[in-house]
Each structure stands twice: as structure tokens, then as C-alpha cells.
Amino acid sequence: MSQTESKRSHPSWSFPEYTPVGTDLSSPAAVASYDRNQGTDAAADDALLDRLGVTAGICMVDLGCGTGSLVVQAARRGAEAHGVDVSEEMLTHARGRARRFGVTPHWHRAGFLDYAHRAAPADVVTTKSALHQLPDFWKQQALLNAAAVLRPGGTLYVWDVMFSFDPAEAEDHLQRWIDSASRPQGEGFTRADFETHVREEFSTYTWVLEGMIERAGLEIVSHSFPRTTHGEFLCRKRLPMASA
Ligand SMILES: C[S@@+](CC[C@H](N)C(=O)[O-])C[C@H]1O[C@@H](n2cnc3c(N)ncnc32)[C@H](O)[C@@H]1O
């Protein structure tokens, strides 16, 4: 198992992506209860890896990998799996999961903005429930970096809290999400967690993300917004234009 500090240098005016925003998931207590709160499910991760064609020999990079379930499941099927996260606590937990399953993914303490992929271009880049940690300008930079990690024709998968409701109805949709998703303390993410997400984190509209994805050199193959507050984009890195 390897862990590298694969980082690119950035100007001093860059977004401080190592400083947690909103609900701090990086404390030891938050990391210990994360999988229960988030409903981490290896079977669901496997279903996603099947959809994305992650098999033995495929190079996959998961940005904002958290406790590392998707990365470990990818490594268990023989993929060259890279987990990237700004949180040392999350990576420690992820390394423990990998050890339990006897696999050796590559772990990188790095962020969306400064991750430098020092390996062959990736076939698949994933990011689940993490891109909303960046304000929109920086999401665009993160998507450019994700595209740079991918080989032409490679796949980017994004799942996140993202808003597909009519902006004029935002309050109703957000309140309904908070009311239905909140759990008592000790049983899941709480009302305060969801309220903090809306108030202080940077989830944005699906139509804003669509424009950003396209401007990062990616083509949207499909999207699905199963709830008005959550959704996914499946994208492909455009092939270079053939010269005349
Ligand atoms: C809600 S968790 C999602 C974890 C995992 N992807 C999942 O689906 O369970 C968000 C993760 O993003 C990480 N994170 C926050 N900002 C980041 C950044 N700028 N670059 C990379 N990871 C970041 C956090 O440390 C945390 O582990």
C-alpha cells in the first residue's frame, strides 16, 4: 500500500481546500460514525463499479474518497485504485479497511485542486458526495483537474447533493429534504448537519454543474436526479479533435 503527497503547487490566493467547510467530518468521532451515518454499502459500491466497467487492470481515482469503501472494492476486483482525500483521519480509516480486505490501493493526502496524478492516465475518475465542498469557481477548477487525470474517452462519475428544483421553490424542497433525512443524534446525520450543509457548504444547481462539466472538456453521457436534492452525472472525456 502506498501513500504519496502528490500535490501540485498553487498560488497563495487558492481556495484553502484543507480547511473543512460546514459539518466537520474529519474529527476521529465523525470518521468513526461516518459509514453508519452515510449508509456506506459495499454492495452499492460494487454495483456502481460494475456500471463504470471497473475491472482488473483498470485505473480508477476516487476524489474525496472518505473512508475508502469504493476504492477498496475497486482494489478487491484487481483495479489500480487511487483514493484521494484532504483528511488524514479519513485516510487512516480507509487504510484500515484496505488492510482488513488484504488489498493495497494507493492513498493520497491531496485535494480536488492540488491532486497530481503521477501514474498512467486514469480510465475512471469518481467523486461521491464531495464536490459540494468547493465553491462554484473552484468546482470548475476541480473538474478541469479531474479531466486532466483522465485518458481521452475516460469516464468521470459525479454523485452529490445537487439541486434540480425550480429556484423559486428552493425553500420547500430544502425543508422537505432536511425534515425527511434528519435522524436523532447517534442514529445518523442530524437536522443540524443538514441545516449546516445548506447554510455553509456549496451544493449548487444541476444546470450550473452541466455547464461546468462541458467546459472542463467532458461530454455528459447521462444524468439522473432521483431526488430534487441529489443527482449524478456520467461523463466522458472528449477525444482530441483530429487535425485536418
Ligand atoms: C461526505 S464525505 C464523502 C466520502 C465518500 N466519497 C463517500 O461517498 O462516502 C466528503 C469527503 O470529501 C473530503 N474532502 C473535502 N474537501 C475535499 C477536497 N477539496 N479535496 C478532496 N477531498 C475533500 C472530506 O475529507 C470527506 O472525506
Side-chain angles (χ1 to χ4, degrees):
M1 193 175 324
S2 69
Q3 172 160 339
T4 61
E5 294 279 328
S6 44
K7 293 181 187 169
R8 302 183 309 158
S9 62
H10 276 292
S12 54
W13 43 262
S14 283
F15 184 74
E17 60 177 340
Y18 289 73
T19 305
V21 295
T23 303
D24 182 6
L25 297 175
S26 65
S27 70
V31 171
S33 56
Y34 178 81
D35 284 335
R36 179 204 60 203
N37 290 351
Q38 183 72 359
T40 301
D41 175 4
D45 288 330
D46 273 327
L48 176 60
L49 295 170
D50 286 345
R51 275 181 68 200
L52 300 178
V54 176
T55 52
I58 290 287
C59 176
M60 186 195 94
V61 177
D62 188 31
L63 299 168
C65 65
T67 54
S69 178
L70 189 67
V71 176
V72 168
Q73 291 307 108
R76 290 180 72 194
R77 48 177 75 195
E80 179 193 320
H82 296 257
V84 178
D85 205 287
V86 292
S87 162
E88 192 54 53
E89 291 285 349
M90 283 289 190
L91 289 170
T92 298
H93 194 96
R95 280 193 291 270
R97 185 193 300 276
R99 264 195 305 278
R100 281 197 300 285
F101 284 103
V103 291
T104 55
H106 306 271
W107 302 111
H108 309 270
R109 182 158 192 234
F112 282 108
L113 302 174
D114 72 0
Y115 174 61
H117 188 62
R118 303 195 203 286
D123 301 292
V124 176
V125 172
T126 52
T127 180
K128 285 172 54 217
S129 308
L131 192 59
H132 69 264
Q133 295 279 316
L134 298 174
D136 280 1
F137 172 81
W138 297 104
K139 284 192 194 78
Q140 179 72 75
Q141 304 311 109
L143 288 165
L144 282 166
N145 198 27
V149 167
L150 277 173
R151 65 166 169 79
T155 298
L156 171 70
Y157 176 81
V158 181
W159 165 266
D160 209 346
V161 177
M162 55 178 80
F163 305 142
S164 55
F165 45 70
D166 177 343
E169 296 170 358
E171 192 173 329
D172 282 353
H173 286 266
L174 292 170
Q175 195 59 59
R176 226 176 298 143
W177 170 43
I178 292 168
D179 290 346
S180 63
S182 302
R183 298 286 173 268
Q185 187 78 45
E187 292 179 26
F189 290 123
T190 64
R191 178 171 296 277
D193 292 330
F194 290 110
E195 288 178 347
T196 302
H197 182 111
V198 174
R199 191 175 53 242
E200 296 171 27
E201 301 180 30
F202 304 106
S203 282
T204 193
Y205 285 109
T206 53
W207 43 269
V208 174
L209 288 168
E210 273 170 36
M212 290 183 180
I213 289 168
E214 280 158 12
R215 281 168 180 75
L218 297 146
E219 175 191 347
I220 297 171
V221 176
S222 67
H223 66 249
S224 169
F225 309 138
R227 286 173 270 165
T228 60
T229 49
H230 292 71
E232 66 169 28
F233 286 99
L234 182 65
C235 321
R236 185 154 298 139
K237 181 171 173 175
R238 280 194 215 103
L239 301 172
M241 301 278 269
S243 52

mmCIF file of all heavy atoms in Angstrom, residues 102-141:
data_model
loop_
_atom_site.group_PDB
_atom_site.id
_atom_site.type_symbol
_atom_site.label_atom_id
_atom_site.label_comp_id
_atom_site.label_asym_id
_atom_site.label_seq_id
_atom_site.Cartn_x
_atom_site.Cartn_y
_atom_site.Cartn_z
ATOM 1 N N GLY A 102 -7.076 -7.097 2.770
ATOM 2 C CA GLY A 102 -5.841 -7.593 2.169
ATOM 3 C C GLY A 102 -5.552 -6.991 0.799
ATOM 4 O O GLY A 102 -4.993 -7.664 -0.064
ATOM 5 N N VAL A 103 -5.959 -5.729 0.585
ATOM 6 C CA VAL A 103 -5.665 -5.071 -0.697
ATOM 7 C C VAL A 103 -4.776 -3.848 -0.461
ATOM 8 O O VAL A 103 -4.658 -3.347 0.664
ATOM 9 C CB VAL A 103 -6.959 -4.661 -1.447
ATOM 10 C CG1 VAL A 103 -7.698 -5.893 -1.940
ATOM 11 C CG2 VAL A 103 -7.849 -3.778 -0.582
ATOM 12 N N THR A 104 -4.152 -3.387 -1.536
ATOM 13 C CA THR A 104 -3.155 -2.322 -1.403
ATOM 14 C C THR A 104 -3.412 -1.179 -2.399
ATOM 15 O O THR A 104 -2.650 -0.974 -3.337
ATOM 16 C CB THR A 104 -1.742 -2.889 -1.640
ATOM 17 O OG1 THR A 104 -1.718 -3.541 -2.913
ATOM 18 C CG2 THR A 104 -1.336 -3.876 -0.560
ATOM 19 N N PRO A 105 -4.502 -0.445 -2.188
ATOM 20 C CA PRO A 105 -4.727 0.722 -3.049
ATOM 21 C C PRO A 105 -3.661 1.788 -2.780
ATOM 22 O O PRO A 105 -2.897 1.703 -1.814
ATOM 23 C CB PRO A 105 -6.092 1.246 -2.614
ATOM 24 C CG PRO A 105 -6.646 0.271 -1.659
ATOM 25 C CD PRO A 105 -5.519 -0.552 -1.136
ATOM 26 N N HIS A 106 -3.639 2.808 -3.621
ATOM 27 C CA HIS A 106 -2.740 3.951 -3.421
ATOM 28 C C HIS A 106 -3.549 5.047 -2.731
ATOM 29 O O HIS A 106 -4.611 5.429 -3.218
ATOM 30 C CB HIS A 106 -2.224 4.464 -4.773
ATOM 31 C CG HIS A 106 -1.592 3.386 -5.598
ATOM 32 N ND1 HIS A 106 -0.252 3.075 -5.518
ATOM 33 C CD2 HIS A 106 -2.126 2.534 -6.508
ATOM 34 C CE1 HIS A 106 0.012 2.076 -6.352
ATOM 35 N NE2 HIS A 106 -1.100 1.729 -6.957
ATOM 36 N N TRP A 107 -3.048 5.550 -1.618
ATOM 37 C CA TRP A 107 -3.744 6.619 -0.882
ATOM 38 C C TRP A 107 -2.966 7.908 -1.046
ATOM 39 O O TRP A 107 -1.726 7.902 -0.939
ATOM 40 C CB TRP A 107 -3.875 6.260 0.597
ATOM 41 C CG TRP A 107 -4.602 4.969 0.830
ATOM 42 C CD1 TRP A 107 -4.071 3.806 1.307
ATOM 43 C CD2 TRP A 107 -6.000 4.707 0.593
ATOM 44 N NE1 TRP A 107 -5.040 2.839 1.375
ATOM 45 C CE2 TRP A 107 -6.235 3.357 0.944
ATOM 46 C CE3 TRP A 107 -7.064 5.475 0.117
ATOM 47 C CZ2 TRP A 107 -7.495 2.759 0.844
ATOM 48 C CZ3 TRP A 107 -8.322 4.872 0.005
ATOM 49 C CH2 TRP A 107 -8.522 3.540 0.372
ATOM 50 N N HIS A 108 -3.655 8.991 -1.261
ATOM 51 C CA HIS A 108 -3.000 10.283 -1.481
ATOM 52 C C HIS A 108 -3.653 11.319 -0.577
ATOM 53 O O HIS A 108 -4.877 11.538 -0.689
ATOM 54 C CB HIS A 108 -3.165 10.748 -2.926
ATOM 55 C CG HIS A 108 -2.779 9.700 -3.935
ATOM 56 N ND1 HIS A 108 -1.497 9.587 -4.433
ATOM 57 C CD2 HIS A 108 -3.511 8.727 -4.543
ATOM 58 C CE1 HIS A 108 -1.458 8.582 -5.315
ATOM 59 N NE2 HIS A 108 -2.660 8.050 -5.387
ATOM 60 N N ARG A 109 -2.859 11.942 0.274
ATOM 61 C CA ARG A 109 -3.422 13.068 1.015
ATOM 62 C C ARG A 109 -3.323 14.284 0.094
ATOM 63 O O ARG A 109 -2.277 14.949 -0.012
ATOM 64 C CB ARG A 109 -2.689 13.307 2.328
ATOM 65 C CG ARG A 109 -3.366 14.447 3.056
ATOM 66 C CD ARG A 109 -3.147 14.519 4.528
ATOM 67 N NE ARG A 109 -4.096 15.474 5.067
ATOM 68 C CZ ARG A 109 -3.776 16.512 5.819
ATOM 69 N NH1 ARG A 109 -2.529 16.709 6.178
ATOM 70 N NH2 ARG A 109 -4.714 17.351 6.228
ATOM 71 N N ALA A 110 -4.413 14.564 -0.581
ATOM 72 C CA ALA A 110 -4.441 15.644 -1.572
ATOM 73 C C ALA A 110 -5.900 16.024 -1.791
ATOM 74 O O ALA A 110 -6.819 15.361 -1.303
ATOM 75 C CB ALA A 110 -3.795 15.181 -2.878
ATOM 76 N N GLY A 111 -6.087 17.132 -2.517
ATOM 77 C CA GLY A 111 -7.440 17.632 -2.727
ATOM 78 C C GLY A 111 -7.802 17.672 -4.199
ATOM 79 O O GLY A 111 -6.969 17.408 -5.078
ATOM 80 N N PHE A 112 -9.056 18.030 -4.455
ATOM 81 C CA PHE A 112 -9.519 18.187 -5.834
ATOM 82 C C PHE A 112 -8.595 19.109 -6.622
ATOM 83 O O PHE A 112 -8.353 18.900 -7.799
ATOM 84 C CB PHE A 112 -10.902 18.851 -5.856
ATOM 85 C CG PHE A 112 -12.045 17.951 -5.516
ATOM 86 C CD1 PHE A 112 -12.707 18.081 -4.300
ATOM 87 C CD2 PHE A 112 -12.504 17.013 -6.417
ATOM 88 C CE1 PHE A 112 -13.798 17.284 -3.993
ATOM 89 C CE2 PHE A 112 -13.592 16.208 -6.124
ATOM 90 C CZ PHE A 112 -14.238 16.346 -4.902
ATOM 91 N N LEU A 113 -8.133 20.167 -5.937
ATOM 92 C CA LEU A 113 -7.421 21.221 -6.662
ATOM 93 C C LEU A 113 -5.942 20.928 -6.817
ATOM 94 O O LEU A 113 -5.323 21.373 -7.775
ATOM 95 C CB LEU A 113 -7.606 22.563 -5.935
ATOM 96 C CG LEU A 113 -9.067 22.994 -5.762
ATOM 97 C CD1 LEU A 113 -9.151 24.264 -4.904
ATOM 98 C CD2 LEU A 113 -9.717 23.235 -7.131
ATOM 99 N N ASP A 114 -5.368 20.199 -5.847
ATOM 100 C CA ASP A 114 -3.907 20.027 -5.920
ATOM 101 C C ASP A 114 -3.468 18.582 -6.177
ATOM 102 O O ASP A 114 -2.271 18.302 -6.199
ATOM 103 C CB ASP A 114 -3.218 20.616 -4.674
ATOM 104 C CG ASP A 114 -3.437 19.793 -3.414
ATOM 105 O OD1 ASP A 114 -4.133 18.751 -3.489
ATOM 106 O OD2 ASP A 114 -2.921 20.194 -2.362
ATOM 107 N N TYR A 115 -4.432 17.677 -6.394
ATOM 108 C CA TYR A 115 -4.016 16.291 -6.678
ATOM 109 C C TYR A 115 -3.268 16.234 -8.016
ATOM 110 O O TYR A 115 -3.754 16.708 -9.039
ATOM 111 C CB TYR A 115 -5.227 15.354 -6.724
ATOM 112 C CG TYR A 115 -4.853 13.946 -7.149
ATOM 113 C CD1 TYR A 115 -3.952 13.193 -6.395
ATOM 114 C CD2 TYR A 115 -5.377 13.377 -8.305
ATOM 115 C CE1 TYR A 115 -3.584 11.910 -6.790
ATOM 116 C CE2 TYR A 115 -5.017 12.086 -8.700
ATOM 117 C CZ TYR A 115 -4.113 11.369 -7.933
ATOM 118 O OH TYR A 115 -3.742 10.102 -8.324
ATOM 119 N N ALA A 116 -2.082 15.649 -7.979
ATOM 120 C CA ALA A 116 -1.305 15.427 -9.209
ATOM 121 C C ALA A 116 -1.217 13.925 -9.418
ATOM 122 O O ALA A 116 -0.712 13.206 -8.556
ATOM 123 C CB ALA A 116 0.087 16.034 -9.061
ATOM 124 N N HIS A 117 -1.715 13.481 -10.535
ATOM 125 C CA HIS A 117 -1.781 12.035 -10.796
ATOM 126 C C HIS A 117 -0.468 11.585 -11.427
ATOM 127 O O HIS A 117 -0.241 11.802 -12.607
ATOM 128 C CB HIS A 117 -2.956 11.759 -11.739
ATOM 129 C CG HIS A 117 -3.236 10.310 -11.935
ATOM 130 N ND1 HIS A 117 -3.613 9.466 -10.909
ATOM 131 C CD2 HIS A 117 -3.204 9.542 -13.054
ATOM 132 C CE1 HIS A 117 -3.792 8.251 -11.382
ATOM 133 N NE2 HIS A 117 -3.538 8.261 -12.673
ATOM 134 N N ARG A 118 0.403 10.997 -10.611
ATOM 135 C CA ARG A 118 1.720 10.586 -11.096
ATOM 136 C C ARG A 118 1.688 9.111 -11.493
ATOM 137 O O ARG A 118 2.400 8.288 -10.945
ATOM 138 C CB ARG A 118 2.775 10.856 -10.029
ATOM 139 C CG ARG A 118 2.810 12.315 -9.604
ATOM 140 C CD ARG A 118 4.070 12.659 -8.841
ATOM 141 N NE ARG A 118 3.895 13.829 -8.000
ATOM 142 C CZ ARG A 118 3.824 15.070 -8.446
ATOM 143 N NH1 ARG A 118 3.899 15.337 -9.728
ATOM 144 N NH2 ARG A 118 3.667 16.083 -7.594
ATOM 145 N N ALA A 119 0.810 8.777 -12.401
ATOM 146 C CA ALA A 119 0.671 7.400 -12.898
ATOM 147 C C ALA A 119 0.089 7.526 -14.301
ATOM 148 O O ALA A 119 -0.186 8.638 -14.758
ATOM 149 C CB ALA A 119 -0.275 6.615 -11.982
ATOM 150 N N ALA A 120 -0.104 6.393 -14.956
ATOM 151 C CA ALA A 120 -0.712 6.438 -16.294
ATOM 152 C C ALA A 120 -2.100 7.073 -16.174
ATOM 153 O O ALA A 120 -2.760 6.929 -15.135
ATOM 154 C CB ALA A 120 -0.822 5.020 -16.843
ATOM 155 N N PRO A 121 -2.546 7.794 -17.217
ATOM 156 C CA PRO A 121 -3.864 8.442 -17.135
ATOM 157 C C PRO A 121 -4.948 7.461 -16.707
ATOM 158 O O PRO A 121 -4.923 6.282 -17.074
ATOM 159 C CB PRO A 121 -4.093 8.943 -18.567
ATOM 160 C CG PRO A 121 -2.716 9.110 -19.134
ATOM 161 C CD PRO A 121 -1.868 8.043 -18.498
ATOM 162 N N ALA A 122 -5.886 7.959 -15.915
ATOM 163 C CA ALA A 122 -6.912 7.083 -15.346
ATOM 164 C C ALA A 122 -7.985 6.760 -16.380
ATOM 165 O O ALA A 122 -8.295 7.567 -17.257
ATOM 166 C CB ALA A 122 -7.546 7.759 -14.134
ATOM 167 N N ASP A 123 -8.557 5.567 -16.258
ATOM 168 C CA ASP A 123 -9.704 5.177 -17.078
ATOM 169 C C ASP A 123 -10.996 5.743 -16.500
ATOM 170 O O ASP A 123 -11.923 6.068 -17.236
ATOM 171 C CB ASP A 123 -9.817 3.644 -17.128
ATOM 172 C CG ASP A 123 -8.558 3.004 -17.694
ATOM 173 O OD1 ASP A 123 -8.303 3.185 -18.898
ATOM 174 O OD2 ASP A 123 -7.808 2.353 -16.920
ATOM 175 N N VAL A 124 -11.033 5.815 -15.178
ATOM 176 C CA VAL A 124 -12.260 6.225 -14.490
ATOM 177 C C VAL A 124 -11.887 7.138 -13.323
ATOM 178 O O VAL A 124 -10.972 6.819 -12.561
ATOM 179 C CB VAL A 124 -13.022 4.988 -13.937
ATOM 180 C CG1 VAL A 124 -14.244 5.404 -13.134
ATOM 181 C CG2 VAL A 124 -13.420 4.040 -15.069
ATOM 182 N N VAL A 125 -12.573 8.271 -13.216
ATOM 183 C CA VAL A 125 -12.478 9.130 -12.029
ATOM 184 C C VAL A 125 -13.873 9.205 -11.424
ATOM 185 O O VAL A 125 -14.858 9.397 -12.152
ATOM 186 C CB VAL A 125 -11.969 10.543 -12.383
ATOM 187 C CG1 VAL A 125 -12.061 11.476 -11.178
ATOM 188 C CG2 VAL A 125 -10.522 10.492 -12.882
ATOM 189 N N THR A 126 -13.943 9.023 -10.111
ATOM 190 C CA THR A 126 -15.227 9.110 -9.414
ATOM 191 C C THR A 126 -15.136 10.175 -8.334
ATOM 192 O O THR A 126 -14.049 10.449 -7.802
ATOM 193 C CB THR A 126 -15.568 7.764 -8.737
ATOM 194 O OG1 THR A 126 -14.451 7.368 -7.934
ATOM 195 C CG2 THR A 126 -15.848 6.675 -9.748
ATOM 196 N N THR A 127 -16.276 10.772 -8.014
ATOM 197 C CA THR A 127 -16.341 11.594 -6.818
ATOM 198 C C THR A 127 -17.766 11.550 -6.305
ATOM 199 O O THR A 127 -18.715 11.855 -7.025
ATOM 200 C CB THR A 127 -15.834 13.035 -7.038
ATOM 201 O OG1 THR A 127 -15.940 13.733 -5.795
ATOM 202 C CG2 THR A 127 -16.594 13.778 -8.127
ATOM 203 N N LYS A 128 -17.896 11.118 -5.053
ATOM 204 C CA LYS A 128 -19.221 10.945 -4.468
ATOM 205 C C LYS A 128 -19.343 11.809 -3.223
ATOM 206 O O LYS A 128 -18.511 11.719 -2.310
ATOM 207 C CB LYS A 128 -19.434 9.482 -4.074
ATOM 208 C CG LYS A 128 -19.697 8.550 -5.268
ATOM 209 C CD LYS A 128 -19.691 7.088 -4.817
ATOM 210 C CE LYS A 128 -20.643 6.846 -3.682
ATOM 211 N NZ LYS A 128 -20.115 5.867 -2.692
ATOM 212 N N SER A 129 -20.365 12.630 -3.196
ATOM 213 C CA SER A 129 -20.715 13.422 -2.004
ATOM 214 C C SER A 129 -19.559 14.300 -1.536
ATOM 215 O O SER A 129 -19.361 14.458 -0.322
ATOM 216 C CB SER A 129 -21.177 12.506 -0.856
ATOM 217 O OG SER A 129 -22.187 11.642 -1.278
ATOM 218 N N ALA A 130 -18.787 14.830 -2.447
ATOM 219 C CA ALA A 130 -17.608 15.607 -2.040
ATOM 220 C C ALA A 130 -17.426 16.915 -2.813
ATOM 221 O O ALA A 130 -16.919 17.895 -2.256
ATOM 222 C CB ALA A 130 -16.347 14.742 -2.187
ATOM 223 N N LEU A 131 -17.858 16.970 -4.069
ATOM 224 C CA LEU A 131 -17.578 18.166 -4.872
ATOM 225 C C LEU A 131 -18.225 19.420 -4.273
ATOM 226 O O LEU A 131 -17.728 20.539 -4.455
ATOM 227 C CB LEU A 131 -18.073 17.932 -6.313
ATOM 228 C CG LEU A 131 -17.633 18.936 -7.376
ATOM 229 C CD1 LEU A 131 -16.111 19.004 -7.507
ATOM 230 C CD2 LEU A 131 -18.257 18.614 -8.735
ATOM 231 N N HIS A 132 -19.306 19.216 -3.516
ATOM 232 C CA HIS A 132 -20.002 20.365 -2.915
ATOM 233 C C HIS A 132 -19.161 21.064 -1.847
ATOM 234 O O HIS A 132 -19.579 22.089 -1.309
ATOM 235 C CB HIS A 132 -21.332 19.907 -2.284
ATOM 236 C CG HIS A 132 -21.111 19.046 -1.078
ATOM 237 N ND1 HIS A 132 -21.107 17.667 -1.127
ATOM 238 C CD2 HIS A 132 -20.837 19.370 0.204
ATOM 239 C CE1 HIS A 132 -20.854 17.186 0.069
ATOM 240 N NE2 HIS A 132 -20.685 18.208 0.901
ATOM 241 N N GLN A 133 -18.000 20.506 -1.534
ATOM 242 C CA GLN A 133 -17.113 21.156 -0.554
ATOM 243 C C GLN A 133 -16.443 22.399 -1.140
ATOM 244 O O GLN A 133 -15.850 23.188 -0.414
ATOM 245 C CB GLN A 133 -16.028 20.180 -0.102
ATOM 246 C CG GLN A 133 -16.558 18.975 0.657
ATOM 247 C CD GLN A 133 -16.829 19.278 2.120
ATOM 248 O OE1 GLN A 133 -16.032 19.914 2.776
ATOM 249 N NE2 GLN A 133 -17.963 18.845 2.619
ATOM 250 N N LEU A 134 -16.541 22.547 -2.464
ATOM 251 C CA LEU A 134 -15.881 23.685 -3.115
ATOM 252 C C LEU A 134 -16.918 24.680 -3.636
ATOM 253 O O LEU A 134 -17.924 24.275 -4.234
ATOM 254 C CB LEU A 134 -15.047 23.195 -4.310
ATOM 255 C CG LEU A 134 -13.896 22.242 -4.007
ATOM 256 C CD1 LEU A 134 -13.268 21.740 -5.309
ATOM 257 C CD2 LEU A 134 -12.829 22.920 -3.154
ATOM 258 N N PRO A 135 -16.635 25.992 -3.495
ATOM 259 C CA PRO A 135 -17.494 26.997 -4.152
ATOM 260 C C PRO A 135 -17.421 26.828 -5.668
ATOM 261 O O PRO A 135 -16.490 26.201 -6.192
ATOM 262 C CB PRO A 135 -16.860 28.333 -3.736
ATOM 263 C CG PRO A 135 -15.948 28.028 -2.610
ATOM 264 C CD PRO A 135 -15.530 26.591 -2.744
ATOM 265 N N ASP A 136 -18.400 27.401 -6.376
ATOM 266 C CA ASP A 136 -18.546 27.075 -7.796
ATOM 267 C C ASP A 136 -17.298 27.370 -8.632
ATOM 268 O O ASP A 136 -16.918 26.565 -9.482
ATOM 269 C CB ASP A 136 -19.768 27.786 -8.387
ATOM 270 C CG ASP A 136 -21.049 27.031 -8.031
ATOM 271 O OD1 ASP A 136 -20.964 26.005 -7.321
ATOM 272 O OD2 ASP A 136 -22.129 27.476 -8.451
ATOM 273 N N PHE A 137 -16.675 28.515 -8.429
ATOM 274 C CA PHE A 137 -15.471 28.793 -9.232
ATOM 275 C C PHE A 137 -14.467 27.653 -9.077
ATOM 276 O O PHE A 137 -13.868 27.178 -10.055
ATOM 277 C CB PHE A 137 -14.824 30.120 -8.798
ATOM 278 C CG PHE A 137 -13.487 30.356 -9.460
ATOM 279 C CD1 PHE A 137 -13.416 30.852 -10.753
ATOM 280 C CD2 PHE A 137 -12.300 30.038 -8.808
ATOM 281 C CE1 PHE A 137 -12.185 31.036 -11.376
ATOM 282 C CE2 PHE A 137 -11.070 30.216 -9.422
ATOM 283 C CZ PHE A 137 -11.017 30.716 -10.711
ATOM 284 N N TRP A 138 -14.322 27.158 -7.841
ATOM 285 C CA TRP A 138 -13.326 26.122 -7.573
ATOM 286 C C TRP A 138 -13.798 24.752 -8.032
ATOM 287 O O TRP A 138 -12.992 23.876 -8.350
ATOM 288 C CB TRP A 138 -12.933 26.149 -6.091
ATOM 289 C CG TRP A 138 -12.297 27.462 -5.762
ATOM 290 C CD1 TRP A 138 -12.875 28.511 -5.085
ATOM 291 C CD2 TRP A 138 -11.003 27.922 -6.165
ATOM 292 N NE1 TRP A 138 -12.005 29.572 -5.039
ATOM 293 C CE2 TRP A 138 -10.846 29.236 -5.690
ATOM 294 C CE3 TRP A 138 -9.948 27.345 -6.878
ATOM 295 C CZ2 TRP A 138 -9.696 29.993 -5.902
ATOM 296 C CZ3 TRP A 138 -8.782 28.088 -7.095
ATOM 297 C CH2 TRP A 138 -8.665 29.392 -6.613
ATOM 298 N N LYS A 139 -15.120 24.547 -8.063
ATOM 299 C CA LYS A 139 -15.638 23.293 -8.659
ATOM 300 C C LYS A 139 -15.183 23.209 -10.113
ATOM 301 O O LYS A 139 -14.808 22.143 -10.596
ATOM 302 C CB LYS A 139 -17.169 23.262 -8.649
ATOM 303 C CG LYS A 139 -17.818 22.966 -7.319
ATOM 304 C CD LYS A 139 -19.308 22.686 -7.554
ATOM 305 C CE LYS A 139 -20.109 22.707 -6.279
ATOM 306 N NZ LYS A 139 -20.419 24.051 -5.774
ATOM 307 N N GLN A 140 -15.247 24.334 -10.799
ATOM 308 C CA GLN A 140 -14.822 24.310 -12.206
ATOM 309 C C GLN A 140 -13.346 23.929 -12.309
ATOM 310 O O GLN A 140 -12.968 23.119 -13.156
ATOM 311 C CB GLN A 140 -15.052 25.687 -12.848
ATOM 312 C CG GLN A 140 -14.615 25.760 -14.299
ATOM 313 C CD GLN A 140 -15.537 24.983 -15.237
ATOM 314 O OE1 GLN A 140 -16.636 25.420 -15.541
ATOM 315 N NE2 GLN A 140 -15.089 23.819 -15.696
ATOM 316 N N GLN A 141 -12.514 24.484 -11.434
ATOM 317 C CA GLN A 141 -11.083 24.142 -11.463
ATOM 318 C C GLN A 141 -10.899 22.656 -11.121
ATOM 319 O O GLN A 141 -10.055 21.975 -11.701
ATOM 320 C CB GLN A 141 -10.287 25.028 -10.479
ATOM 321 C CG GLN A 141 -10.438 26.524 -10.704
ATOM 322 C CD GLN A 141 -10.224 26.918 -12.159
ATOM 323 O OE1 GLN A 141 -11.158 27.291 -12.860
ATOM 324 N NE2 GLN A 141 -8.994 26.803 -12.642
#
